Amino acid sequence: DQQVKQNSPSLSVQEGRISILNCDYTNSMFDYFLWYKKYPAEGPTFLISISSIKDKNEDGRFTVFLNKSAKHLSLHIVPSQPGDSAVYFCGGATNKLIFGTGTLLAVQP
Amino acid sequence: SQTIHQWPATLVQPVGSPLSLECTVEGTSNPNLYWYRQAAGRGLQLLFYSVGIGQISSEVPQNLSASRPQDRQFILSSKKLLLSDSGFYLCAWSKGRGNYGYTFGSGTRLTVV
């Protein structure tokens, strides 16, 4: 049972444009959701989170939107930069964090 | 400040050999601890988590086991490695249930040959 799904394995965006990464979940018990960025052979680094009682959280260039009725969240990166190129994981958390399969974002200069 | 240490960084082991990966956390007490694995081309799979000493929850049946002998120490073990155990293993900690975030170690690249 895959509780968190990222259906797009990859995304390519031009520098300066918006990157939108999507995530769907099935477990309505998640307290909050997190987005992590990961480079090969490194541990994931935290980007942004959102409580399940919120619908939006913004931090600089990163904004996460949560649609509880649709069990869907998205991460918007504006403007996208080449340094944003990495694998992005969304996760749902209770007392443990369950990740999706990740989306590889490539930002083209 | 809190830090998490994970070692070794890389490991090459023959099939059938034992495994012991260690993770320690500094600067906090009674953390929740987690082991994840990223197999080649795959996502981050939760293997085990622990909310206290001696308390281990297994997420997937497998050839691995975990132990928490001390509050801030989490060990991943195997008695006999399989080829399918190869992957990138990550330890993480959090303060518990709530929006505290999860902090990850730098990972161990395990190759079983």
Side-chain angles (χ1 to χ4, degrees):
Chain A
D1 173 32
Q2 197 170 353
Q3 298 182 48
V4 181
K5 299 179 183 179
Q6 293 176 259
N7 293 318
S8 297
S10 63
L11 175 68
S12 182
V13 173
Q14 286 295 119
E15 180 178 5
R17 306 295 287 271
I18 184 172
S19 295
I20 300 177
L21 299 128
N22 294 303
C23 182
D24 297 294
Y25 64 95
T26 59
N27 188 349
S28 58
M29 299 301 292
F30 287 138
D31 296 322
Y32 60 102
F33 302 88
L34 306 93
W35 283 93
Y36 279 78
K37 177 180 179 180
K38 186 181 183 300
Y39 296 111
E42 294 183 11
T45 54
F46 172 75
L47 277 176
I48 192 169
S49 65
I50 186 169
S51 167
S52 61
I53 62 173
K54 303 285 187 182
D55 55 18
K56 179 183 176 180
N57 188 27
E58 187 173 357
D59 184 2
R61 295 187 299 116
F62 302 93
T63 303
V64 57
F65 296 91
L66 175 62
N67 182 334
K68 284 192 71 175
S69 61
K71 292 186 177 175
H72 177 84
L73 63 153
S74 61
L75 174 68
H76 293 209
I77 306 174
V78 182
S80 301
Q81 301 172 354
D84 295 329
S85 297
V87 177
Y88 288 76
F89 289 95
C90 79
T94 53
N95 60 344
K96 56 188 178 182
L97 177 58
I98 305 298
F99 283 107
T101 50
T103 297
L104 174 62
L105 173 65
V107 180
Q108 310 296 333
Chain B
S1 63
Q2 301 92 357
T3 55
I4 180 168
H5 302 281
Q6 190 179 340
W7 66 92
T10 60
L11 192 59
V12 179
Q13 292 284 100
V15 169
S17 64
L19 173 73
S20 181
L21 301 180
E22 188 164 342
C23 172
T24 60
V25 180
E26 296 178 357
T28 188
S29 59
N30 197 30
N32 283 7
L33 297 172
Y34 308 85
W35 279 110
Y36 288 84
R37 176 174 62 197
Q38 184 178 26
R42 305 287 294 275
L44 293 169
Q45 183 184 36
L46 178 62
L47 302 176
F48 301 95
Y49 71 98
S50 171
V51 298
I53 296 174
Q55 301 178 60
I56 308 295
S57 296
S58 175
E59 290 296 297
V60 291
Q62 58 207 317
N63 186 42
L64 303 169
S65 62
S67 61
R68 184 171 178 173
Q70 301 180 42
D71 180 46
R72 290 171 290 177
Q73 184 185 30
F74 205 23
I75 297 172
L76 184 69
S77 303
S78 173
K79 292 182 179 178
K80 289 185 178 181
L81 283 169
L82 306 172
L83 287 174
S84 58
D85 292 323
S86 294
F88 190 58
Y89 289 82
L90 289 154
C91 181
W93 78 274
S94 74
K95 287 185 179 180
R97 187 163 184 167
N99 194 2
Y100 299 114
Y102 288 65
T103 303
F104 286 81
S106 54
T108 295
R109 168 70 61 193
L110 171 66
T111 304
V112 183
V113 296

